Amino acid sequence: MTLLVLLAALVIGIIAFSITVKAKARRAQRDIAAINATIIDYFRRSGVQVACDSTRLAGRKAFTAIVESEPMKRFRLSHIIEMTLREHVRKNCSLQLEKVYWRFPIKEAAPAQPGDMPAEAGSDAAKPDETSDEYINEGLEHYRHIPKPEVTELDWETFEQVSTLGREKGERQDNP
């Protein structure tokens, strides 16, 4: 008889535990959905369309959000936006947003078509697609003017001569 009572208590405990775990999971999903909707609405009000996903790391009470947006100048100071976003989530959802990770995917250039002619090295056609992303193109403008390294092939004898001269210079500098 006591064995049956003990077994019944064990089954009731397992059922109560599983109900509690499922309730916590449902509450976490509701919290995540509320945070995502709040973040998306926050940016929509300023005219920016973003995608958002949030999660709660194991053992943490606060949430982590991943915000994906096109690259924009206004996100240069994303740490300031993050502070106001965290406060906005706290006020609207009564939840704590601990971290915000930003992702700015770069638009891929269209793949070359089989009939396309290769562009000459110095021509304007060799530049990335100017209309794809103005912000990225602004950053790449400085990159275009950096001199490109020149690589040439050397025969083995020349390599040995240069490396031997370098070692001899190093030995002379070490010994006064």
Side-chain angles (χ1 to χ4, degrees):
M1 180 83 164
T2 58
L3 186 59
L4 284 175
V5 171
L6 186 60
L7 186 58
L10 181 63
V11 169
I12 290 172
I14 291 172
I15 291 171
F17 178 75
S18 66
I19 290 172
T20 304
V21 168
K22 287 181 182 181
K24 282 184 180 181
R26 280 193 302 272
R27 186 173 51 246
Q29 289 303 325
R30 278 195 313 268
D31 291 347
I32 287 172
I35 289 173
N36 292 344
T38 301
I39 291 172
I40 290 170
D41 184 56
Y42 174 84
F43 286 106
R44 186 179 301 133
R45 289 181 186 184
S46 64
V48 178
Q49 186 166 351
V50 299
C52 178
D53 194 18
S54 303
T55 188
R56 182 185 298 183
L57 300 175
R60 302 278 178 114
K61 290 186 178 187
F63 290 85
T64 299
I66 298 100
V67 177
E68 183 174 315
S69 169
E70 65 184 58
M72 302 176 102
K73 282 186 180 182
R74 69 173 79 174
F75 289 138
R76 282 184 178 169
L77 302 173
S78 59
H79 62 286
I80 296 172
I81 296 170
E82 180 178 344
M83 290 186 310
T84 60
L85 181 61
R86 290 169 70 188
E87 183 64 21
H88 182 72
V89 168
R90 188 187 63 74
K91 284 181 181 178
N92 289 334
C93 301
S94 299
L95 296 169
Q96 183 181 356
L97 187 60
E98 181 179 22
K99 300 174 188 172
V100 178
Y101 291 100
W102 303 89
R103 182 170 186 272
F104 306 108
I106 299 172
K107 295 176 185 175
E108 295 292 327
Q113 300 299 324
D116 289 349
M117 298 293 290
E120 304 237 353
S123 74
D124 287 343
K127 293 180 182 177
D129 182 12
E130 293 294 330
T131 61
S132 65
D133 194 330
E134 292 176 23
Y135 180 61
I136 293 297
N137 289 334
E138 181 183 319
L140 291 176
E141 187 62 33
H142 302 291
Y143 174 74
R144 287 186 188 114
H145 302 294
I146 295 174
K148 306 296 184 262
E150 205 172 300
V151 179
T152 58
E153 229 178 277
L154 294 176
D155 58 10
W156 184 252
E157 290 79 24
T158 306
F159 173 76
E160 285 182 326
Q161 287 175 352
V162 171
S163 63
T164 305
L165 289 175
R167 275 187 270 158
E168 289 175 359
K169 283 184 181 179
E171 289 173 0
R172 284 187 215 143
Q173 289 175 355
D174 291 340
N175 296 328

